[in-house]
Amino acid sequence: MDKGILENLYHVAIAVNNLSAVEEVYTTALGLRVEHREVVEDQKVKTSMLVPKDGGTAIELLEPTSEDSPISKFLEKRGEGIHHICYKVDDIESVLAKLKEQGVRLIDETPRLGAYNSRVAFIHPKAMNGVLVELAELKKD
Ligand code: ZN
């Protein structure tokens, strides 16, 4: 591919058992600021977006809201830790089309609704050497 298709690293997501307790640690110890909290019904998770002072790459905390949440399964199997990384993209449909063209295995062939009214899609970790990669097209004003 001659041209990159991704923008900046938007966030690194961490699966946690108790979101507010972890928020406390990350804001106190690392000085991150809670920018946004949201329950994403589709994924059955509570999220909290923690940003550094320059507004750069955030940490997204994910706590399951139900036992059948994908995050519950992750915590059972692997315990707390990094769950995925997320890149911003400008046009998620065209990025997904390019990935499909190359035969990259996707979890989402079409975007779904994420936090902040973003549209997101996940690339399968088997296609990314064990890393779950999220793509997010943020809502444009
Ligand atoms: Zn994410």
Side-chain angles (χ1 to χ4, degrees), residues 118-134:
S118 60
R119 296 195 308 148
V120 303
F122 286 91
I123 304 175
H124 200 286
K126 288 233 159 79
M128 293 287 124
N129 306 78
V131 178
L132 178 61
V133 178
E134 178 182 28

Side-chain angles (χ1 to χ4, degrees), residues 80-130:
E80 292 185 314
I82 293 181
H83 180 262
H84 65 265
I85 63 172
C86 177
Y87 278 99
K88 282 184 198 169
V89 297
D90 184 50
D91 176 356
I92 195 162
E93 252 110 23
S94 87
V95 171
L96 289 173
K98 280 177 190 158
L99 291 169
K100 264 186 259 180
E101 234 174 68
Q102 300 174 86
V104 175
R105 187 167 163 198
L106 302 172
I107 292 177
D108 304 299
E109 303 246 321
T110 52
R112 50 173 138 148
L113 211 57
Y116 299 94
N117 286 324
S118 60
R119 296 195 308 148
V120 303
F122 286 91
I123 304 175
H124 200 286
K126 288 233 159 79
M128 293 287 124
N129 306 78

Side-chain angles (χ1 to χ4, degrees), residues 22-35 49-55 59:
V22 180
E23 255 182 7
E24 178 67 27
V25 173
Y26 276 71
T27 55
T28 306
L30 301 179
L32 296 170
R33 181 172 54 81
V34 178
E35 189 186 63
M49 200 64 89
L50 307 177
V51 294
K53 62 181 179 182
D54 70 353
I59 286 180

